Amino acid sequence: MLAGVTAGQSAASAANASSDWPDSLKRYVTRSFERAVTDVEKNRVQSVLREKITAAAAVGPLALRDWDAEPLPNLAGSLADRTAPAGAGHSPMRGRGRPRPASQSAGRYFRGRSRSRSRSRSPPERGGYGRTGRGARRRRNSSSGSSRDDEHRTTPRKNKNSRLEKKRGRKDGKAHFYSLNGSAGGATISTSEQLQKRASRFAGDRGSSRPRPRLQLQSVLQSSVTAGEDGEELDWSSLHIVGTCQDLEKRFLRLTAAPEASSVRPPDVLRRSLELVKAKWKKTQDYHNACDQLKSIRQDLTVQGIRDQFTVHVYETHARIALEKKDHTEFNQCQTQLKALYREVGGVNRLEFTAYRLLYFIFTKAITDITTTLATLTDEDKRDESVKHALQVRTAWSHGNFVRFFRLYQVAPKMSGFLMDWFVERERKEALRKVIKTYRPGVDVAFVCGALACTRPQFEALAAPAGLVFSDVGRAQLDCKASMACLAAL
């Protein structure tokens, strides 16, 4: 960091003279963003900090300023700053001059209501109906109406252009709320040249369905301070951390601040880390360690903005391991990310995981998601082995054809059987209820086991808790009539 920067130097030159931010400034930026909750507040903090740091760099070295004692950006009036006009102490009124106090308005309203209520409920006085009743009321109404008309005539209507100028803050010289704590120079986008540069930067993104990668706020602010001297803003979507860590194994920890490059692994190290995770999984089947390492790899890919075929392979690997261990939460996170990745970069296993997504929606009984997924499938997609099987399972499940359902369960391709294991017990109980209601007086247990695609121990695990009744001592014949009373417990 260079010392001795004079006040005459520009903000960009002072910022370029800084090799790195002091620790107190980093803590100040972290504290400022921790207070922001909504996107509007984060944008406000980001703009205020950028201008404040630029102004501080123009005065002198950043390390000479006491950032620990620096007041944090004000977020309490973020909404009011955008809606209130520039003139302090005036409330926005449309077509009115001097605003009327709320107490007077409320008093006039309730006094009018009380007079009308008393007139409707009280009997007329004895002095004659015409003088004290209708005529008096007509005179009161005409007098009150004329006073209101006089008030409206004497109150001048404000010019529309003056209201617009006041709202934009041009009348008294106040800037937009993003520049409340800005630099002394008032760095705002005011010239047509700057506006054209800003518009051309976003022109290429119109109509693009590709989501913009997430930004690391600290690196964005630091890069914006070191922008060029022409005042042009940087394209923040292209700024990402480049990792330098060489550790093959690293515990997964949720980020509470902007990550350091020394704690993030680059892509070549992540590839070796993934191969190590797969080798250990085949050898030890330690799901806790494998899940922790895979989530750490996913985090390093995210903070670096890497979304390619290797990213797809990482999420597919984690999804397959989660399928084997019946981890519903991790599988759902992986398949949600894979859906977006397949749309962005593609993948050879897209149709396989589309079939898994359909089966997962059957598990969660998400009818709307099933319908949405079916609408995206083409005729070529439906000819895929996994997708074709998932569609058949969905048809049998929706029609209540349990015989067809369990036959498809026995011939599930690839890893579809692992996913169907999540809800096969639920469907077996439902099918057993139908068997008990249908067959009289009883049915062979061997027939039921074949129809439900289960072994005799699996059938006993269903029958014992419900207390099903059998016709013989060997429990080979199920008494359906006597077991009707057990359906509630099944």
Side-chain angles (χ1 to χ4, degrees), residues 209-222:
S209 59
R210 181 173 180 178
R212 299 175 66 88
R214 295 182 178 180
L215 304 177
Q216 300 304 323
L217 300 176
Q218 181 172 329
S219 61
V220 166
L221 284 173
Q222 190 168 1

Side-chain angles (χ1 to χ4, degrees), residues 90-358:
H90 296 277
S91 61
M93 296 290 291
R94 205 178 275 188
R96 294 286 186 269
R98 181 175 53 83
R100 183 163 41 197
S103 59
Q104 296 180 8
S105 301
R108 179 177 298 180
Y109 172 75
F110 284 111
R111 286 196 296 272
R113 291 292 298 270
S114 62
R115 286 199 301 269
S116 61
R117 187 179 295 111
S118 62
R119 288 197 302 267
S120 61
R121 294 185 179 181
S122 59
E125 298 181 5
R126 277 191 251 177
Y129 181 80
R131 180 176 298 274
T132 60
R134 184 179 302 171
R137 276 182 290 178
R138 185 177 299 149
R139 285 194 297 272
R140 283 198 300 268
N141 292 338
S142 61
S143 61
S144 61
S146 61
S147 62
R148 285 195 298 267
D149 293 340
D150 294 339
E151 181 184 355
H152 291 172
R153 292 193 195 100
T154 56
T155 303
R157 297 177 61 89
K158 290 191 175 181
N159 193 348
K160 182 177 181 181
N161 295 330
S162 64
R163 290 202 311 271
L164 292 177
E165 291 179 358
K166 196 171 184 180
K167 183 176 182 181
R168 294 173 183 171
R170 297 177 181 174
K171 191 171 181 180
D172 55 0
K174 289 189 177 181
H176 194 264
F177 75 94
Y178 281 163
S179 304
L180 291 179
N181 294 329
S183 60
T188 58
I189 300 177
S190 57
T191 64
S192 59
E193 182 180 358
Q194 290 176 333
L195 290 175
Q196 291 177 358
K197 289 181 180 180
R198 183 179 181 87
S200 62
R201 184 166 63 255
F202 292 99
D205 295 339
R206 296 176 181 175
S208 176
S209 59
R210 181 173 180 178
R212 299 175 66 88
R214 295 182 178 180
L215 304 177
Q216 300 304 323
L217 300 176
Q218 181 172 329
S219 61
V220 166
L221 284 173
Q222 190 168 1
S223 301
S224 64
V225 172
T226 58
E229 294 186 2
D230 56 353
E232 181 180 359
E233 298 181 9
L234 297 177
D235 185 6
W236 292 353
S237 62
S238 62
L239 300 177
H240 289 290
I241 292 177
V242 179
T244 59
C245 180
Q246 299 297 317
D247 298 335
L248 292 181
E249 292 185 327
K250 188 183 73 171
R251 289 189 58 191
F252 170 74
L253 297 174
R254 297 191 180 276
L255 296 177
T256 57
E260 298 291 340
S262 59
S263 63
V264 179
R265 293 168 291 184
D268 56 335
V269 178
L270 292 176
R271 294 179 187 275
R272 288 184 282 135
S273 299
L274 179 61
E275 294 301 325
L276 179 62
V277 171
K278 292 193 292 185
K280 285 190 174 183
W281 169 252
K282 294 177 181 178
K283 183 178 180 181
T284 63
Q285 294 287 308
D286 185 359
Y287 178 70
H288 178 74
N289 178 72
C291 182
D292 184 74
Q293 294 300 318
L294 286 171
K295 291 177 71 173
S296 178
I297 294 175
R298 286 162 46 186
Q299 185 182 72
D300 288 349
L301 290 172
T302 301
V303 298
Q304 296 179 95
I306 301 175
R307 297 178 71 84
D308 53 11
Q309 291 297 329
F310 174 67
T311 309
V312 174
H313 182 53
V314 170
Y315 278 96
E316 288 178 348
T317 303
H318 199 173
R320 295 182 192 278
I321 295 177
L323 270 178
E324 293 187 27
K325 293 300 180 179
K326 298 184 178 181
D327 190 344
H328 307 158
T329 303
E330 289 299 333
F331 174 79
N332 185 38
Q333 292 180 2
C334 292
Q335 67 98 6
T336 302
Q337 289 294 325
L338 284 172
K339 180 181 178 181
L341 287 169
Y342 288 144
R343 186 172 58 251
E344 296 177 21
V345 301
V348 295
N349 299 320
R350 179 181 65 86
L351 294 178
E352 176 187 354
F353 279 87
T354 301
Y356 298 159
R357 192 179 309 119
L358 273 173

Side-chain angles (χ1 to χ4, degrees), residues 459-480:
F459 176 79
E460 292 292 343
L462 290 175
L468 299 182
V469 182
F470 295 88
S471 303
D472 57 336
V473 180
R475 301 171 66 89
Q477 188 79 11
L478 179 63
D479 190 342
C480 297

Side-chain angles (χ1 to χ4, degrees), residues 443-454 456 459 475-478:
V443 65
D444 291 337
V445 175
F447 170 78
V448 177
C449 291
L452 302 184
C454 64
R456 184 59 185 265
F459 176 79
R475 301 171 66 89
Q477 188 79 11
L478 179 63

Side-chain angles (χ1 to χ4, degrees), residues 386-430:
S386 300
V387 175
K388 182 179 180 181
H389 174 267
L391 292 176
Q392 292 174 347
V393 171
R394 177 255 172 190
T395 302
W397 174 73
S398 60
H399 292 171
N401 189 348
F402 65 87
V403 176
R404 178 66 173 164
F405 177 86
F406 289 108
R407 286 178 182 175
L408 292 171
Y409 169 68
Q410 292 177 313
V411 296
K414 298 181 180 178
M415 299 190 71
S416 297
F418 286 98
L419 214 155
M420 294 185 69
D421 284 337
W422 295 0
F423 56 93
V424 70
E425 291 297 322
R426 179 189 71 193
E427 301 304 321
R428 277 179 180 153
K429 291 182 180 180
E430 183 63 27

